[in-house]
Amino acid sequence: AQSVTQPDIHITVSEGASLELRCNYSYGATPYLFWYVQSPGQGLQLLLKYFSGDTLVQGIKGFEAEFKRSQSSFNLRKPSVHWSDAAEYFCAVGGILYGNKLVFGAGTILRVKS
Amino acid sequence: DGGITQSPKYLFRKEGQNVTLSCEQNLNHDAMYWYRQDPGQGLRLIYYSQIVNDFQKGDIAEGYSVSREKKESFPLTVTSAQKNPTAFYLCASTNRRGAEGNQPQHFGDGTRLSIL
């Protein structure tokens, strides 16, 4: 079955430090790729998406992600983390081989220390 | 403002009881989805509907039922057959224009269901 892997369950970074959250997928072709953020007790908010074209995509709140076909990865990055970025982050993948539905990773909880 | 409204925010179920979670959207989206979220497991798809009066089972449909009588509404019933219903339930909708699966989904703020 097609799957999405977020290897890090928890990550802690200092405020102002850079951040990279990892996402890997199993797929035979380029899927549609998404990153969402969830604050406690809330729904999910879309940060950015990749469909095709430039492999470096910019999103909201200063986030960016890079699609690397050779590594089947779509890692999320931010150059300088703010305390308000503390949340849970989900990578999701869609496309024909995923039944045209989004398949979500298990999530990475980000803690920011001051 | 357009969006997705889920109610209630908290819900308690007694043994043997069916409960219904409400999801309403005013985004004029064709497709609507129900997900279940458990800690450390991400989101799992329960049911989805891409058009009024039609819906399909997702990955964990057993013990759940849905209806789609109106474009803007997609209620989820958690039946007594669902033996482990305690979870956070999220409703989402999507504009189906464009290639299938490539439209990001908008989410409601969720309903937390617990067993009494």
Side-chain angles (χ1 to χ4, degrees), chain B residues 35-54:
Chain B
Y35 292 95
R36 171 179 172 141
Q37 185 177 20
D38 296 280
Q41 295 192 46
L43 277 69
R44 293 181 289 168
L45 184 64
I46 304 172
Y47 268 98
Y48 65 104
S49 166
Q50 295 183 326
I51 196 168
V52 174
N53 292 322
D54 187 50

Side-chain angles (χ1 to χ4, degrees), chain B residues 87-114:
Chain B
F88 191 52
Y89 291 87
L90 286 163
C91 179
S93 70
T94 300
N95 183 340
R96 291 185 64 222
R97 290 194 297 273
E100 292 287 348
N102 72 346
Q103 296 295 333
Q105 297 181 359
H106 299 254
F107 286 82
D109 283 339
T111 293
R112 187 164 300 278
L113 176 63
S114 302

Side-chain angles (χ1 to χ4, degrees), chain B residues 24-116:
Chain B
E24 303 278 332
Q25 55 101 357
N26 60 4
L27 299 164
N28 199 33
H29 284 174
D30 291 309
M32 297 186 73
Y33 304 77
W34 274 105
Y35 292 95
R36 171 179 172 141
Q37 185 177 20
D38 296 280
Q41 295 192 46
L43 277 69
R44 293 181 289 168
L45 184 64
I46 304 172
Y47 268 98
Y48 65 104
S49 166
Q50 295 183 326
I51 196 168
V52 174
N53 292 322
D54 187 50
F55 48 83
Q56 288 79 39
K57 294 182 179 180
D59 300 318
I60 55 165
E62 185 174 353
Y64 300 96
S65 66
V66 294
S67 63
R68 187 84 187 278
E69 298 177 359
K70 299 185 294 182
K71 185 175 185 178
E72 59 270 22
S73 179
F74 191 41
L76 173 74
T77 296
V78 183
T79 75
S80 57
Q82 172 49 245
K83 298 306 180 187
N84 184 25
T86 298
F88 191 52
Y89 291 87
L90 286 163
C91 179
S93 70
T94 300
N95 183 340
R96 291 185 64 222
R97 290 194 297 273
E100 292 287 348
N102 72 346
Q103 296 295 333
Q105 297 181 359
H106 299 254
F107 286 82
D109 283 339
T111 293
R112 187 164 300 278
L113 176 63
S114 302
I115 294 296
L116 283 178

Side-chain angles (χ1 to χ4, degrees), chain A residues 38-105:
Chain A
Q38 183 182 34
S39 297
Q42 302 286 315
L44 276 67
Q45 180 183 23
L46 178 69
L47 287 175
L48 47 79
K49 60 187 182 289
Y50 173 79
F51 296 155
S52 64
D54 191 347
T55 56
L56 183 64
V57 294
Q58 303 295 323
I60 62 172
K61 304 185 180 187
F63 286 93
E64 67 178 26
E66 186 173 12
F67 168 59
K68 293 185 177 179
R69 184 192 311 274
S70 61
Q71 299 176 18
S72 297
S73 69
F74 188 58
N75 294 348
L76 182 71
R77 302 194 294 248
K78 187 169 185 177
S80 178
V81 169
H82 187 263
W83 64 266
S84 60
D85 293 323
E88 189 163 14
Y89 292 80
F90 293 93
C91 179
V93 181
I96 293 175
L97 290 187
Y98 287 88
N100 293 320
K101 303 184 294 289
L102 287 185
V103 175
F104 287 83

